[in-house]
Every structure is written in C-alpha cells, then in structure tokens.
Amino acid sequence: MSRVFPAPLLSLALFVLWLLLNLSVSAGNILLAAILAIFAPLLMAPLRPQHAHVRRPWVVIKLVCRVGLDVLRSNLQVAIGVLRCGIRPPHSAFVHIPLDLRDAHGLAALSMITTVVPGTVWSELALDRSTLLLHVFDLDDQDAFIEHFKRVYERPLMEIFE
Amino acid sequence: MTGLLANAVLASLFILIIAMALALVRLFRGPSAQDRVLALDYLYILGMLMMLVLGIRYASDTYFEGALLIALFGFVGSFALAKFLLRGEVIE
Amino acid sequence: MTQTLPFWLELTTAGLLLAGSLFAMLGALGLVRLKDYFQRMHPPALASTLGAWCVALASILYFSGLKQSPVLHAWLIPILLSITVPVTTLLLARAALFRKRAAGEDVPEEVSGRDGGN
C-alpha cells in the first residue's frame, strides 16, 4: 500500500485538482486523474527525503477553522489600522518568540499561517530552530501576544506533526 | 445579467483600477528596491482579481485560466526578484 | 447563456465583489500611506486573503447559478495564493532584513549568530 501511494494525501489532492480544473467527472478524466494521482507522487518521492506524518485530523480541522476566523479578524484590524494611520500610527514591532516546535513540516505550516494572517509577517528563523523573529502590525502587549501565539498556533501544530 | 450585477461588476472593476494606480504610485516612488518588488507583486494579485471579475462580466470560463496563469507567473517573477535582492549583490 | 439568476444570488454576488475589491483597494492604500517598509509588508495580505476569497466566492456563486450545478474551480485561486504568497513574502522579508542590516539601519540583530536562517 505505502509503495503504491507514498503520499496518500498528495494523491488525493492531485486527483481532485485534475477533476476541478477540467470541470467534469467523465470516465476519461477520472482515468487521467488516477494516472496523475498514482505516478506523480511516485516520481516525486525521491525529492522528499522526510515524510510528514499528519496525525489527529480533528485537530487539523479545528486549526484550519481557527486560522480562517483569525484571517477575517486580522483583515479588519489591518484595514482599520490603514485607515486610521494618519491619526494614530500603528505600533509595529519585531517580536522574538522562543519555539518548542522542531519538525520541519510543522515549521513550514507555521510560516504559512503567520504569513497568511495579515497582522503578522514571519521574518527570520534561527539556524537551530529555537527562536523566531516575527513582525507584528499592531502590538499592545508583547508577553500576552507570545503566550497567545504559542497556545493557539504552536501547540496544535506540535500535536499534529510530532 | 440584470442591471444590479452589471453595475456591481463595473464598480468593482473601477475600484480595482484605483487600487492598481495606488500600487503604481508605490512602484514609482518606493524608496528602496524591496518596496518596488512588493508593489509589483501586489499589481499581479490585483490583475488576477480583475481577470476573475471580467470572467463574471462576460460569463466565460476562459478568464479563470488567465487568472490562474497570472497567479503562477506572478509568483515566479516575485520569487526571482526577491531571491536576487537576497543575494546582496545590489546594495544601495 | 440567457439564464437569469434569482435576485438573492445576484445581490450576494454583487456584495461579495464590492467587498473583495474594496479590501484590495484598502491594501493598496496601506501600501502608499504607511511609513515604514515592514509596516507596508502587511497590507498586501488583504488582497491575497479576504479580497481573493470574496471574489472567488462570488465567481463560484455566479457560475453555479448560471449552470444550475456547483462549479467550484474558482476556489483553486485562494488555495494557490495561500501556498505561493507566503513564499514570496518570507523571501522579501529576509531580503529587506539583509539589506537594511548591510546599510546599518535600525533592525534587530540576526537571531542565530551567523548569517543564514531558514
């Protein structure tokens, strides 16, 4: 099983992608999608030395919903901050965050989350993966922000990937 | 398509054009090179949104593929420019 | 294609289109108005997240109503953006830090002793 499908999630994603791009579920398209889903991950397998082990799908779903809501809220905050920047310039600051997460895939997911949320930009990661430099658009309380960040994003990612 | 949706499509195209003009201001004024790259990346995203809106205006699927291509080429272009800045051969 | 849409669908599509393009314009406004480069890195995310979500959702609603069956392919655009935009943003942030350090401006020191990072 694992030799035919080295990355089952990737295969599934490619299958759905092909059908969506062609906007049809005819037999020919399903056959082409299946060929793509089986052979593309096999060809790509040597390029991915480490395999991601995704556990606890329920935590994944909760995290995705949480990030979606945070994106909405952060969008509104940044939009209001832009409109009011003539009256009250936003308190932007760099924050050093000590990390406990070490898994490469988890860190990749964390960098995606921080960059997709408009209020934060991932700036730099220490070579030993112990510290993260993050730029925050509007920062009130640094310690509270670090605690919130670790609780909301880092903890679930550690549960998923480690 | 009735008047309501047609007018909304026209209005949102107009708003996107204003946004493009603002991004162009940053592109020409931007004091540093990274400002210009950021503005160019933003122009790509705005162009892609515009293609999606045009797809609704003309009720055509073809615009979606154009939008997908703009998104991909914009990514490759901005990636190359940012990588060039990062190599540090052009320091002001 | 002379299918007419129900009114509520047209209203939702129109609202989503206007909301999406307004957010994209606010992002551009922020790009022009904000003073510091790292502050200016934040507003472009407005267009690539909520702006793109709204416009893609409007496109899905419109084409699904037009063809009387779910047409979901526009949702690929937000997914593609959420994968590609972090890569460019991250590289641009690192390039800006590198160049500002080289120019001796007021930015934080490297978090690991020597040059490198991710």
Side-chain angles (χ1 to χ4, degrees):
Chain A
M1 187 65 191
S2 68
R3 283 181 57 196
V4 184
F5 292 111
L9 283 175
L10 181 64
S11 300
L12 186 69
L14 282 172
F15 190 78
V16 176
L17 176 80
W18 181 265
L19 293 182
L20 269 181
L21 273 178
N22 284 294
L23 281 180
S24 85
V25 280
S26 63
N29 270 323
I30 287 181
L31 183 68
L32 282 174
I35 290 173
L36 189 69
I38 292 173
F39 287 105
L42 278 181
L43 290 174
M44 291 295 156
L47 295 178
R48 306 202 324 164
Q50 289 180 326
H51 280 278
H53 297 286
V54 180
R55 276 180 289 266
R56 306 188 195 210
W58 179 238
V59 183
V60 177
I61 294 169
K62 267 201 323 200
L63 183 65
V64 168
C65 295
R66 178 72 209 227
V67 170
L69 283 179
D70 280 359
V71 167
L72 287 181
R73 215 180 43 215
S74 177
N75 263 292
L76 292 176
Q77 276 171 3
V78 172
I80 293 170
V82 164
L83 285 177
R84 286 172 58 196
C85 76
I87 313 164
R88 192 193 73 96
H91 305 291
S92 301
F94 282 100
V95 183
H96 289 270
I97 296 178
L99 283 181
D100 297 316
L101 182 68
R102 288 290 183 277
D103 183 77
H105 297 95
L107 286 169
L110 190 64
S111 73
M112 255 183 80
I113 291 173
T114 50
T115 332
V116 160
V117 174
T120 51
V121 167
W122 172 288
S123 302
E124 204 171 36
L125 180 69
L127 272 182
D128 57 356
R129 299 179 180 172
S130 61
T131 316
L132 161 68
L133 185 63
L134 201 66
H135 189 261
V136 185
F137 184 72
D138 201 351
L139 185 71
D140 291 327
D141 181 355
Q142 182 166 340
D143 294 331
F145 175 82
I146 292 176
E147 196 273 328
H148 174 260
F149 182 86
K150 287 180 82 72
R151 182 168 46 83
V152 175
Y153 300 130
E154 193 186 3
R155 193 75 37 79
L157 282 173
M158 283 172 74
E159 280 181 34
I160 293 168
F161 285 103
E162 287 185 349
Chain B
M1 186 183 306
T2 56
L4 173 72
L5 190 54
N7 284 332
V9 164
L10 271 185
S12 67
L13 280 177
F14 186 67
I15 296 172
L16 283 176
I17 287 174
I18 296 176
M20 281 185 150
L22 288 172
L24 272 180
V25 168
R26 179 52 73 193
L27 181 69
F28 285 121
R29 206 173 71 184
S32 61
Q34 56 264 33
D35 275 304
R36 296 175 207 268
V37 177
L38 195 65
L40 193 66
D41 191 44
Y42 199 62
L43 272 178
Y44 267 117
I45 293 176
L46 289 175
M48 190 209 67
L49 289 182
M50 204 174 242
M51 288 298 260
L52 281 179
V53 179
L54 281 174
I56 293 182
R57 179 169 158 81
Y58 296 113
S60 156
D61 272 344
T62 322
Y63 285 90
F64 165 75
E65 278 143 36
L68 212 57
L69 282 179
I70 290 185
L72 280 175
F73 284 123
F75 166 63
V76 175
S78 312
F79 183 88
L81 283 171
K83 194 76 192 158
F84 179 67
L85 292 183
L86 190 61
R87 270 209 307 240
E89 286 167 354
V90 271
I91 297 176
E92 290 169 340
Chain C
M1 289 276 183
T2 48
Q3 190 89 38
T4 50
L5 295 179
F7 179 72
W8 63 270
L9 203 59
E10 280 207 2
L11 196 66
T12 325
T13 310
L16 281 172
L17 276 181
L18 286 178
S21 44
L22 269 178
F23 267 99
M25 199 198 71
L26 280 177
L29 198 66
L31 207 59
V32 173
R33 282 185 73 186
L34 291 173
K35 296 282 176 266
D36 174 56
Y37 173 73
F38 282 100
Q39 283 183 6
R40 287 199 286 267
M41 293 210 64
H42 296 281
L46 288 182
S48 58
T49 56
L50 200 55
W53 292 4
C54 286
V55 175
L57 201 57
S59 172
I60 288 174
L61 282 179
Y62 179 72
F63 283 111
S64 302
L66 209 61
K67 296 184 177 162
Q68 305 286 325
S69 69
V71 181
L72 296 175
H73 66 329
W75 203 247
L76 286 176
I77 295 256
I79 293 176
L80 186 77
L81 278 183
S82 69
I83 296 171
T84 57
V85 165
V87 180
T88 38
T89 313
L90 207 147
L91 264 181
L92 269 176
R94 288 192 57 209
L97 277 175
F98 177 81
R99 288 165 61 91
K100 280 179 188 277
R101 276 174 196 144
E105 286 180 40
D106 179 30
V107 287
E109 290 292 306
E110 284 154 26
V111 280
S112 47
R114 54 217 155 95
D115 191 22
N118 328 9

